Amino acid sequence: MKRIRISFLALLFLLVSCNKDLIIQQMDCLKMSDNSNWTTEDFKLEYTIQFPSNYEGTGMVGFEGNFFSKNRIDDKVSFNYSFCGPLLCLDFGEALASTATTEIIVIDRNNNEVILASKKEFCSNGMVEGILYHNTDASSMGKYYMKQDSEYLEGLTVYFDYSEYSEVERIIQTITKQ
């Protein structure tokens, strides 16, 4: 009887510990949500995204596949993707090696190596739908990976003044699968 009680207490402690970690993880995850005051536009074949009125650019275009470009009118934020080869463009780039990765090294638009050592997850219905890796320099860069089946594929590059980081998060939160 004593063993059952000790086993029960150990199991209860384990469950409470696991739930605590799960709650902490979900609190750090931003919920995907729309913004009824912003303009909705096509982002990828099966996705839309929303922007405030102070953004301009062609958005999603393509003939042999899609590419995307949208910029804030004061040039403080730029969203784009272009995963093009010699014959066609794809909606997604390379796969993320592991969701446990805490930082990634990328090449910026000036062909410089950049370490993106900050990570933010975006969730819907308790599931991580995307992961943004970014740096915190005054002129920052971010790579957003989107869940596709069982892996996360590069879906977006963002350049931004770090003072506008919260706006970058709010825009990414509006990405919706149709």
Side-chain angles (χ1 to χ4, degrees):
M1 187 66 157
K2 208 174 200 181
R3 279 187 175 173
I4 293 173
R5 190 176 304 157
I6 292 172
S7 296
F8 176 75
L9 289 174
L11 181 61
L12 183 62
F13 177 75
L14 181 64
L15 286 173
V16 169
S17 296
C18 289
N19 284 339
K20 178 183 166 197
D21 292 341
L22 183 61
I23 290 168
I24 290 170
Q25 185 179 22
Q26 287 181 349
M27 286 176 57
D28 288 343
C29 197
L30 290 176
K31 289 180 108 179
M32 303 304 277
S33 62
D34 68 338
N35 187 321
S36 60
N37 296 321
W38 291 357
T39 303
T40 301
E41 59 183 82
D42 292 334
F43 177 55
K44 296 180 181 292
L45 285 179
E46 297 180 349
Y47 292 87
T48 60
I49 190 170
Q50 294 178 306
F51 287 95
S53 61
N54 61 337
Y55 278 77
E56 61 187 7
T58 56
M60 185 182 83
V61 294
F63 175 69
E64 297 289 334
N66 300 316
F67 55 94
F68 183 89
S69 178
K70 205 74 170 171
N71 305 302
R72 206 164 105 161
I73 58 176
D74 62 6
D75 290 326
K76 289 186 175 187
V77 184
S78 171
F79 290 84
N80 62 71
Y81 71 79
S82 176
F83 306 110
C84 299
L87 299 176
L88 63 108
C89 295
L90 303 172
D91 275 354
F92 297 97
E94 297 293 319
L96 183 62
S98 168
T99 58
T101 301
T102 57
E103 69 179 32
I104 60 174
I105 299 172
V106 298
I107 304 298
D108 70 7
R109 58 184 160 200
N110 298 319
N111 217 22
N112 297 315
E113 199 172 83
V114 178
I115 298 171
L116 306 180
S118 294
K119 176 181 175 182
K120 190 65 176 182
E121 294 179 340
F122 294 78
C123 296
S124 179
N125 299 321
M127 302 295 293
V128 177
E129 297 297 330
I131 303 170
L132 176 67
Y133 290 89
H134 64 91
N135 59 6
T136 57
D137 298 343
S139 287
S140 295
M141 177 184 182
K143 291 278 185 181
Y144 183 64
Y145 290 83
M146 299 171 65
K147 186 171 186 184
Q148 300 296 301
D149 298 321
S150 62
E151 58 187 354
Y152 290 82
L153 301 178
E154 183 181 354
L156 180 66
T157 300
V158 185
Y159 291 96
F160 56 99
D161 286 2
Y162 192 72
S163 62
E164 304 303 328
Y165 176 70
S166 64
E167 181 172 283
V168 169
E169 283 185 341
R170 288 192 316 271
I171 291 170
I172 290 174
Q173 284 178 275
T174 69
I175 295 173
T176 304
K177 189 168 185 172
Q178 300 302 300

